[in-house]
Amino acid sequence: MAQNKSTANEMAQVETVIGRILQVGVIFSAIVMLIGLVMFLTTGFSGYDGSYVPRRMGQILVGTWQLRPYAIMMLGVYCLILTPVLRVVVSIYAFYKERDHLYVAITTLVLFILLVALFIGING
């Protein structure tokens, strides 16, 4: 009985962490995008010629380092996309702690699919 109570407490803590990850991820992403938007609106310049928007992670990171507004906004978008991926990673841990091997396998497959899709999207 004590084992079940400690497992239930730990699962409640994991669910709280998952919720907090989603909250912080969305808020952080919104702040990053807002910084880029404010920079764009105050300067009137995207940081790039014409209608170019950086889409590859390397371009976004370099553009962010160079304080280019479009790159900063795209970094916020990527952070927003990666937030649920982090949630899946934490869920794998939660299912592992519950000794629910079926859901560990299913969630690991979901993570693999997400990572492959991100890789294709970043390099495609």
Side-chain angles (χ1 to χ4, degrees):
M1 185 73 155
Q3 179 74 6
N4 289 341
K5 185 176 181 180
S6 94
T7 302
N9 287 339
E10 188 171 352
M11 288 305 105
Q13 289 174 341
V14 168
E15 288 178 21
T16 301
V17 167
I18 289 172
R20 184 66 61 182
I21 287 170
L22 294 174
Q23 285 178 331
V24 170
V26 168
I27 291 169
F28 177 77
S29 299
I31 289 170
V32 171
M33 286 187 272
L34 187 61
I35 289 169
L37 180 62
V38 168
M39 289 175 64
F40 174 68
L41 293 175
T42 57
T43 64
F45 181 60
S46 70
Y48 298 96
D49 293 330
S51 61
Y52 179 78
V53 177
R55 289 186 176 86
R56 295 180 186 257
M57 185 54 77
Q59 297 168 334
I60 292 169
L61 293 176
V62 168
T64 300
W65 181 256
Q66 296 169 344
L67 297 177
R68 296 181 179 203
Y70 274 15
I72 294 171
M73 287 188 278
M74 287 301 293
L75 180 65
V77 170
Y78 269 83
C79 289
L80 187 63
I81 290 169
L82 291 176
T83 298
V85 175
L86 184 56
R87 186 229 189 273
V88 171
V89 170
V90 174
S91 295
I92 291 170
Y93 169 77
F95 291 134
Y96 174 77
K97 290 300 284 184
E98 286 182 351
R99 301 182 197 282
D100 194 338
H101 301 295
L102 175 62
Y103 279 99
V104 168
I106 292 170
T107 311
T108 302
L109 178 62
V110 168
L111 178 63
F112 177 75
I113 292 168
L114 285 171
L115 293 176
V116 167
L118 283 172
F119 180 76
I120 290 170
I122 288 172
N123 294 314

